[in-house]
Amino acid sequence: MIIGFIFLVLLLIPGLLIRRGTGTWMAPSTLAVVFSFVYLIIPVVLVPDGEIDIFAAIYVYLCVLLFAGSALLFPSSRYYKVASEHELRRAFGNGGLKIFFWLATFSLVGLIVADTVAQGFSVWQIMSNVSEVSRGYASMLYGGGLTATIFKPLYLILIYPVTAIGGLLSAMTRDSRRMYIVAALIPSFFILLVQSVKGTFVVCVFIVIGSIFLIKSYRGREIRIGGREVLYLVGSGLGVFTFAVISFYLRGFIQGSDSFERVLFYFRNYAAGHVYAFSDWFSNRYFSESLMSYDQPNLELGFYTFMAAFRMLGDDRPVPFGLYTEYFNYNGLFETNLYTIFRGLLSDFGVMGSLAVVAVMGYIFNFCYYRVRMARVSCFLAPVYILSVVMLYQSYTVSTLMWPTFVIGMVLLPVTLCIFRYFSLRAS
């Protein structure tokens, strides 16, 4: 607990310095510090007697500094520019993009229904007894009994760019802002409801957040931190937590008289276990002192961090569902196989190599954000910034670049934006 609080204080120092240099909390550099702070303070509060290896903490702290520190290499916020509203609307708010978004959203729901029906469920079952469908689908998913269909890869690829477009449109409109946000999240929420898969929904939430932050950055606006905003954040957090509880209930994990205790157990699994699990793994890898033994691959050269690229190049080596088979249990308070993105980085590149990779990735993300703040309205900067937000959110679990569907979706995003921007230019 003491080590946790020490590093919480140490994170505040670079966070405030980088915030002063960038002039915003929306830069990837400042977001890296914010996410790291949140992902540390929650475990420290929920499991205060947990043990954190000091060398593991130092390593993560160095990663945060190297990722965020490159933001100070670029001119400070007083040199930022505001993008032309006309250019923004042409790139991210044109009429063709709006029509495409609504057609794609309804098509995604249809693809999800088609995939669910292909597993043996009927449309009537989905409408009348969604909890039974959800439990059945989840049982087949985790048991390896799903029937392969063309529908699933299609909607898993398309859902990410369509959600991002919905987020961009919500930021570009005033009267219909909430409508676009809700519509952007409908497909992923439908997946959570019908298939009991919550990960896609939360990723889509952060895609929407990243899209809104992008437009705010182009307009030179800052996040306001007042009473209303705090209440909104708390409400959003409770909403996501509620959806997670719904997912557990639909899968039959929360039933009976001990429902409240099981909710706390699963909440600690996902919100607090990652810090202590990674710390134990780190101790096992470098000091052979840990509560558990682990598989310790060496120098996989990017397989765990950039698995999507390996898969698309034909690497079909088997990987367990959930990536890691070891479940770290701490005094019965939680049981998790979430070891943070850093386990994959260290397995791929070692200590020095992983620090170099983090520094390079931080430089790329910070440079792209600097181009955004210099009013460079580009369809290709959008997916890079959105990717940085999603990666930083998922850093407590695994690398976002593991999934080919997400990577392909992010490649399709600038292509789609460029196509409709071209037609908008032609129309004008």
Side-chain angles (χ1 to χ4, degrees), residues 55-133:
F55 293 103
I58 291 172
Y59 168 77
V60 174
Y61 186 70
L62 289 175
C63 284
V64 175
L65 291 183
L66 288 171
F67 183 95
S70 58
L72 300 178
L73 299 175
F74 304 105
S76 64
S77 57
R78 64 175 175 269
Y79 295 102
Y80 290 166
K81 301 176 183 178
V82 177
S84 162
E85 194 67 26
H86 179 69
E87 285 295 319
L88 285 176
R89 196 159 299 280
R90 180 177 290 169
F92 306 120
N94 59 75
L97 203 60
K98 293 177 182 179
I99 295 172
F100 169 79
F101 168 73
W102 288 111
L103 290 175
T105 299
F106 288 116
S107 298
L108 280 170
V109 174
L111 288 170
I112 297 165
V113 171
D115 176 63
T116 307
V117 170
Q119 308 308 321
F121 304 100
S122 67
V123 175
W124 173 249
Q125 283 180 292
I126 296 173
M127 296 173 61
S128 61
N129 197 348
V130 69
S131 61
E132 180 182 341
V133 174

Side-chain angles (χ1 to χ4, degrees), residues 5 16 72 85 102 197 201 206 266 281 286 318 350 368 376:
F5 277 115
L16 294 174
L72 300 178
E85 194 67 26
W102 288 111
V197 178
F201 174 73
F206 280 92
Y266 285 114
W281 176 86
Y286 293 105
C368 289
R376 176 66 175 174

Side-chain angles (χ1 to χ4, degrees), residues 273-314:
H274 56 280
V275 167
Y276 304 110
F278 172 72
S279 176
D280 194 66
W281 176 86
F282 189 93
S283 298
N284 176 265
R285 183 177 183 86
Y286 293 105
F287 305 106
S288 300
E289 297 178 359
S290 60
L291 298 177
M292 289 178 52
S293 59
Y294 300 90
D295 178 38
Q296 296 288 5
N298 287 307
L299 296 180
E300 294 293 328
L301 301 179
F303 179 74
Y304 289 99
T305 307
F306 306 106
M307 191 181 295
F310 282 77
R311 292 302 194 210
M312 288 187 281
L313 291 173

Side-chain angles (χ1 to χ4, degrees), residues 15 25 29-40 64:
W25 289 109
S29 52
T30 47
L31 285 175
V33 177
V34 170
F35 275 113
S36 299
F37 186 87
V38 171
Y39 290 155
L40 179 56
V64 175

Side-chain angles (χ1 to χ4, degrees), residues 132-310:
E132 180 182 341
V133 174
S134 183
R135 280 194 292 269
Y137 193 100
S139 177
M140 289 189 289
L141 174 64
Y142 294 106
L146 286 179
T147 301
T149 69
I150 188 60
F151 309 116
K152 191 178 184 72
L154 276 177
Y155 71 71
L156 285 180
I157 289 172
L158 295 176
I159 195 170
Y160 301 115
V162 172
T163 300
I165 290 170
L168 293 169
L169 290 172
S170 74
M172 291 300 302
T173 57
R174 292 183 179 180
D175 299 334
S176 307
R177 182 170 301 172
R178 293 181 180 177
M179 179 182 69
Y180 276 111
I181 292 175
V182 171
L185 295 175
I186 283 176
S188 57
F189 179 72
F190 195 61
I191 291 175
L192 183 149
L193 195 64
V194 175
Q195 302 177 0
S196 194
V197 178
K198 58 189 175 299
T200 305
F201 174 73
V202 183
V203 166
C204 287
V205 168
F206 280 92
I207 288 176
V208 171
I209 291 172
S211 302
I212 294 172
F213 281 4
L214 177 72
I215 302 302
K216 278 183 172 288
S217 298
Y218 270 124
R219 288 172 169 164
R221 298 176 183 173
E222 182 50 74
I223 304 173
R224 295 178 298 176
I225 307 296
R228 181 180 177 183
E229 287 71 31
V230 170
L231 288 175
Y232 180 79
L233 288 173
V234 172
S236 300
L238 290 174
V240 172
F241 176 71
T242 300
F243 290 141
V245 172
I246 291 173
S247 174
F248 289 133
Y249 173 76
L250 292 174
R251 288 161 63 182
F253 290 169
I254 302 174
Q255 292 180 351
S257 59
D258 62 341
S259 296
F260 180 73
E261 288 76 11
R262 295 192 68 79
V263 167
L264 289 179
F265 176 75
Y266 285 114
F267 181 66
R268 286 192 293 262
N269 286 354
Y270 288 93
H274 56 280
V275 167
Y276 304 110
F278 172 72
S279 176
D280 194 66
W281 176 86
F282 189 93
S283 298
N284 176 265
R285 183 177 183 86
Y286 293 105
F287 305 106
S288 300
E289 297 178 359
S290 60
L291 298 177
M292 289 178 52
S293 59
Y294 300 90
D295 178 38
Q296 296 288 5
N298 287 307
L299 296 180
E300 294 293 328
L301 301 179
F303 179 74
Y304 289 99
T305 307
F306 306 106
M307 191 181 295
F310 282 77

